Amino acid sequence: MDDISYYLDHGVSRVILGTAAIRDEGLLKQALAKYDKKIAVGMDCRDGYAMAEGWLEKSSLYYLDFAKKLEQMGVSNIIFTDISKDGTLNGPNLEMLKELKNAVSLDITASGGIRDLQNIQDLAALDLYGAITGKAVYAGTLDLREAIQAGRKTTC
């Protein structure tokens, strides 16, 4: 909790908890009680299950069940990554994201696999909160300015 407080008290706008959200429900509850919407949860999944410790350990938490539990606890934003897609430029897992969007009312940020403008448009059509892309920008397959404009057009 000291680390979370340090960052948020020194100008960071949001802290993302990953393994800590899986392993330490008490910490997550305490952080939410103190900082509310400034706490997000990173949900990295493999084969539909939340992973911990930098993707090394599979938990028993099925992603939809985990998301519903997080929503009940008061989490407002999750960053969802299908590990099998991350860094591949093969597109995000739209099926899992759609199921997630239908299961909870959380803000969902999609991460992993984004290649091009069509992927951004597909994600925007799901009415997600946002998307994280990195490799596509570096590889030159996605123009960041176009991506931002595409996201705004769909939500306006």
Side-chain angles (χ1 to χ4, degrees):
M1 193 63 196
D2 289 341
D3 292 338
I4 294 168
S5 295
Y6 176 83
Y7 289 114
L8 292 174
D9 293 344
H10 287 87
V12 172
S13 59
R14 181 178 293 158
V15 169
I16 303 167
L17 300 178
T19 297
I22 293 171
R23 297 248 170 91
D24 194 342
E25 190 173 304
L27 173 66
L28 178 57
K29 286 180 180 179
Q30 185 181 2
L32 289 167
K34 186 170 183 180
Y35 294 108
D36 192 30
K37 295 184 184 308
K38 291 184 175 188
I39 303 297
V41 172
M43 185 187 302
D44 299 334
C45 295
R46 179 177 289 137
D47 301 323
Y49 287 87
M51 300 293 288
E53 298 299 330
W55 304 353
L56 298 176
E57 295 179 18
K58 184 177 181 179
S59 77
S60 62
L61 300 167
Y62 186 63
Y63 81 108
L64 295 177
D65 298 331
F66 187 36
K68 289 174 187 176
K69 180 178 180 179
L70 293 172
E71 184 174 40
Q72 290 171 351
M73 291 175 66
V75 171
S76 60
N77 183 287
I78 58 174
I79 295 92
F80 175 84
T81 305
D82 176 351
I83 294 168
S84 72
K85 297 286 192 171
D86 197 56
T88 66
L89 298 177
N90 288 329
N93 189 326
L94 296 173
E95 183 178 317
M96 286 180 78
L97 286 161
K98 183 177 181 180
E99 289 177 10
L100 187 58
K101 177 71 177 175
N102 290 333
V104 294
S105 298
L106 301 168
D107 287 340
I108 300 167
T109 301
S111 174
I114 295 171
R115 174 181 170 72
D116 55 25
L117 190 59
Q118 182 61 56
N119 291 154
I120 298 296
Q121 292 167 335
D122 292 342
L123 291 169
L126 291 177
D127 194 28
L128 300 181
Y129 176 79
I132 297 172
T133 184
K135 189 171 183 178
V137 174
Y138 302 131
T141 61
L142 178 67
D143 179 271
L144 188 55
R145 183 171 286 124
E146 287 179 352
I148 291 169
Q149 289 173 347
R152 287 185 178 149
K153 284 180 188 175
T154 305
T155 59
C156 293

